[in-house]
Amino acid sequence: MITPGDAEPDIVREASGEALADVRSLGGGAPVLAFDVGGTDIKSALFGADGIARGLRRTPTPIADGDRTEVLIERLGVLAAELRAAHPEVVPQAAGLVVPGIVDADAGLGVFASNLGWHDSPLRDLAAARLALPVAFDHDVRAASWAEHRLGGARAYANSVVLVIGTGIAGALLIDGTPYTAGGYAGEIGHSPVADGPLCACGARGCLEAVASAGAIARRYREETGVDPDGAKGVIARAAAGDEVAAAIWDSALGALTMSLAQITAVVAPEAIVIGGGLSRAGGALFGELRSRLAARLSFHRIPELVPAELSGDAGILGAALRARELA
């Protein structure tokens, strides 16, 4: 059993190195708890009726051999108790929980998450019992896309795709303003094939994530040169400075992203593709190149707007809170 005294120290910076900042307000509505669970950390907060987050924090995701369901649920209970104790004036009416992997939101199941060890785990019902609240349960990137649709870069578009390019690549589809889930299997853009190789961590070959994620870009440079490039941003900077290896890797990543965006455009025809994650901070080196390459690749198609995400690392917890309010 995890008790409040066992709580891990807060993480004060995002994975990007940026300081943890206050999240955007949800606006008025029911007070709710929100949890955005990742493989390495959990972001948690209590949102008041004014939509302002209280007690926003990031703490390490608890470690366990195999399935981490039990230790995770106990950690959520501890975090919730600490938030409620610190802010007794806010009485939550529901909680939102978002997690990575394959998620069946309707059934409340964490179908599969390789880094968290679960298979068909009834996370929604377990969390509801532990928190003594109704729990809205969803995929982290799908919830983030909902937040971008309601509060951020996708709010002007009823039909959009949100693409998060970081250590991996995750995506979500909004069609006529509604997330398209297909039982949790839709939106796996990072695992769409764009080449014959390399081998992806998922077991398939040539996935977009294995070629064009920020993690893959840095890894490929390190493997070819033996030099640590300080992440994808270092590879992009080296490419701009004339490093031929870096330029070739960055060009192939852009080519793979262009192919994937072209396929999405041809099949789904979104009005916008909203791009977030660490790689989105490359600015014109990413967005300018993708716009020109996508226009050159397609013909009669409606070319989507390529829009930077606005909510950054806050999108997941905002999405969790928005989903919780739907139950309150």
Side-chain angles (χ1 to χ4, degrees):
M1 176 73 69
I2 299 172
T3 64
D6 297 324
E8 297 283 353
D10 289 2
I11 299 168
V12 298
R13 293 191 175 274
E14 302 284 7
S16 64
E18 297 176 353
L20 186 63
D22 289 339
V23 302
R24 184 173 299 192
S25 172
L26 298 177
V32 294
L33 283 163
F35 302 97
D36 178 9
V37 175
T40 58
D41 59 71
I42 302 168
K43 187 175 283 188
S44 57
L46 179 60
F47 287 81
D50 56 4
I52 303 298
R54 276 88 167 164
L56 174 67
R57 58 193 299 208
R58 283 178 70 221
T59 51
T61 305
I63 302 299
D65 292 332
D67 189 339
R68 287 200 250 176
T69 296
E70 182 177 355
V71 293
L72 172 63
I73 296 301
E74 286 301 314
R75 177 68 73 203
L76 296 183
V78 169
L79 292 171
E82 291 174 350
L83 284 164
R84 286 168 144 168
H87 305 280
E89 76 284 1
V90 179
V91 180
Q93 303 301 302
L97 170 62
V98 301
V99 300
I102 304 297
V103 172
D104 186 338
D106 292 335
L109 299 176
V111 177
F112 175 70
S114 59
N115 59 348
L116 292 165
W118 55 58
H119 295 264
D120 294 326
S121 181
L123 293 168
R124 181 186 62 200
D125 292 346
L126 291 171
R130 183 66 176 84
L131 301 174
L133 288 170
V135 171
F137 178 67
D138 209 344
H139 184 266
D140 54 357
V141 175
R142 198 156 57 234
S145 75
W146 185 243
E148 287 288 347
H149 173 65
R150 290 282 303 275
L151 305 170
R155 62 186 178 276
Y157 309 98
N159 296 286
S160 63
V161 172
V162 176
L163 194 62
V164 180
I165 310 174
T167 304
I169 295 179
L173 285 67
L174 282 160
I175 298 175
D176 293 332
T178 302
Y180 177 72
T181 66
Y185 288 91
E188 290 291 341
I189 297 166
H191 296 287
S192 59
V194 294
D196 293 329
L199 183 67
C200 181
C202 77
R205 300 192 67 85
C207 293
L208 178 66
E209 179 175 298
V211 178
S213 66
I217 291 167
R219 172 186 52 74
R220 293 170 63 199
Y221 186 86
R222 192 163 49 247
E223 289 175 352
E224 290 201 31
T225 66
V227 175
D228 187 345
D230 188 26
K233 64 180 180 181
V235 177
I236 296 168
R238 289 166 186 262
D243 184 320
E244 293 184 359
V245 174
I249 290 170
W250 180 229
D251 180 71
S252 70
L254 288 168
L257 285 167
T258 300
M259 176 176 287
S260 185
L261 297 190
Q263 292 169 340
I264 292 168
T265 299
V267 174
V268 181
E271 299 165 82
I273 297 175
V274 180
I275 301 177
L279 202 64
S280 68
R281 298 183 181 89
L286 176 70
F287 286 91
E289 281 289 333
L290 287 179
R291 287 185 185 108
S292 61
R293 290 180 184 224
L294 193 58
R297 180 97 193 188
L298 298 173
S299 57
F300 64 88
H301 310 81
R302 179 179 70 185
I303 297 179
E305 297 287 336
L306 301 185
V307 181
E310 294 182 9
L311 304 179
S312 189
D314 296 334
I317 195 162
L318 287 167
L322 287 168
R323 287 302 191 202
R325 279 190 166 180
E326 295 172 7
L327 293 183

